Amino acid sequence: MTDVSRAAAKLRAGELVAFPTETVYGLGADACNPLAIAKIFAAKGRPADHPLIVHLPDASHLERWAIDIPDAARTLAAAFWPGPLTLILRRHPAVLDAITGGQDSVGLRVPNHPLALQLLREFDGGVAAPSANRFGRVSPTTAAHVREELGDAVALILDGGACAVGIESTILDLSGGEPRILRPGMLDAAAIGAVLGRSPEFGGTQTAPRVSGSLEAHYAPRTPLQLAPAVELAEIARKALVAGRRVAVLASQPLALGHENLAWCPASEDAAQFAHDLYARLRELDVMGCDLILVAAPPDDDSWRAVADRLRRAAAGSK
Ligand code: TXA
Ligand code: MG
């Protein structure tokens, strides 16, 4: 039996399987099995009212999960699936409340990773999968991260190497009214707008569905993380060092402050590469034994929006 066949059998048996996607590793369970879904919440320590994304083998499965599917959803699915886009649609009545958090909507996506697609095709159904990390923590982008984070809570981990994108999918709400990006990702508003013929709005409305990835404190290392403009880093680091603190800096250039308590972790100047590296870097920085992680704020530019969003939440969550 191949690893993928074993994983599909575990899903059918109601067990948890971690698998790679192009964004981050997911912690998967049969989306039609309430007991299996309960295991996800237990393993993650995640509040029960937070909805889960259902992963599908292809867009032909949409009708089993959603109703009143707008043309825009089909157009976007044709353009970007498999890929890092989650669509929020009106839920099919058969979808479990444990998946939707009791809302009228459901999050659906077809991930772009060969192992994920093989698993989904062999399972031939919907796989509910949040990122395979403990609630509020940094998402895993390698199989080793999943093992560190969840250990024995997961029956099987499919190892598909490092995730190509590195941060979570763009979440687009199409469940009513204007298209809205609820969580920015590396598939940006311009790309979605070009296909839709109009630009999506950003952020939820009061009636828009809840997104736990939009909680202010999320994706956080344990070490306090501070974001600051590149020109201010040296001064902030100097003050912290004078106060006896050990400082790690994530920036494209090292600071010209030779000090034994100062470490530098190189950051890419390219948004896609930065996103690819981000969570692995945060994990490395977190185990360096520093008192402060200082990160150079990314450019205020659309291509950096998703990275800036994750860094802001990491800073808020590490306080
Ligand atoms: O890239 C990704 O999307 C990864 C990989 C594994 O596919 N998954 C992921 O799952 O990031 P998770 O659970 O960590 O984040 C999913 C987000 C949550 O913030 C959740 O609130 C939101 O999707 N979500 C799911 N269903 C929703 C719904 N019906 N309405 C609004 N938000 C929803
Ligand atoms: Mg997550």
Side-chain angles (χ1 to χ4, degrees):
M1 221 200 289
T2 65
D3 282 349
V4 168
S5 303
R6 231 189 321 273
K10 293 220 180 283
L11 289 175
R12 272 184 223 108
E15 294 189 56
L16 299 183
V17 170
F19 62 95
T21 79
E22 79 282 36
T23 59
V24 300
Y25 275 70
L27 179 63
D30 177 355
C32 294
N33 179 337
L35 293 177
I37 295 164
K39 289 183 188 172
I40 290 182
F41 288 93
K44 279 188 64 99
R46 180 175 176 148
D49 62 345
H50 284 218
L52 298 172
I53 295 172
V54 179
H55 296 67
L56 307 175
D58 60 63
S60 73
H61 283 243
L62 272 175
E63 279 77 11
R64 304 191 200 174
W65 299 90
I67 55 168
D68 301 341
I69 301 169
D71 290 343
R74 295 186 200 283
T75 310
L76 289 169
F80 297 120
W81 282 355
L85 174 67
T86 295
L87 297 177
I88 306 295
L89 300 172
R90 293 196 55 196
R91 79 191 270 190
H92 189 289
V95 181
L96 296 171
D97 279 338
I99 294 288
T100 66
Q103 304 178 92
D104 292 334
S105 60
V106 62
L108 301 168
R109 96 173 185 101
V110 179
N112 189 16
H113 190 290
L115 280 181
L117 289 169
Q118 277 173 38
L119 176 66
L120 290 162
R121 286 181 192 134
E122 185 149 341
F123 181 68
D124 193 30
V127 174
S131 50
N133 52 281
R134 305 223 9 116
F135 182 67
R137 293 289 160 199
V138 177
S139 301
T141 52
T142 67
H145 295 163
V146 180
R147 181 65 70 199
E148 280 163 35
E149 190 91 15
L150 297 173
D152 295 339
V154 43
L156 192 152
I157 302 174
L158 286 177
D159 188 346
C163 300
V165 176
I167 63 176
E168 302 80 355
S169 61
T170 306
I171 300 183
L172 183 72
D173 182 14
L174 292 175
S175 67
E178 287 302 295
R180 286 187 165 269
I181 292 182
L182 302 182
R183 178 177 72 182
M186 295 311 284
L187 181 70
D188 64 15
I192 292 170
V195 170
L196 279 182
R198 61 185 191 282
S199 292
E201 306 284 320
F202 275 96
T205 61
Q206 287 207 316
T207 53
R210 285 188 305 271
V211 184
S212 65
S214 68
L215 290 177
E216 226 16 84
H218 221 80
Y219 314 112
R222 291 184 166 79
T223 313
L225 183 151
Q226 187 181 346
L227 265 176
V231 293
E232 293 172 18
L233 290 181
E235 186 54 19
I236 298 169
R238 199 187 54 75
K239 284 190 180 142
L241 290 165
V242 167
R245 300 171 80 195
R246 287 156 301 171
V247 180
V249 175
L250 178 65
S252 59
Q253 305 294 329
L255 298 181
L257 297 171
H259 196 294
E260 59 178 5
N261 287 340
L262 178 67
W264 172 60
C265 188
S268 178
E269 289 179 320
D270 173 69
Q273 186 65 42
F274 192 108
H276 174 273
D277 300 340
L278 176 60
Y279 291 145
R281 289 279 182 277
L282 290 182
R283 281 169 192 272
E284 285 160 23
L285 288 161
D286 214 9
V287 296
M288 283 171 74
C290 289
D291 305 302
L292 176 65
I293 300 171
L294 261 183
V295 182
D300 184 14
D301 177 307
D302 270 351
S303 63
W304 286 87
R305 185 189 277 267
V307 163
D309 169 81
R310 301 310 189 277
L311 285 173
R312 205 161 24 76
R313 294 180 205 289
S318 68
K319 288 209 176 101

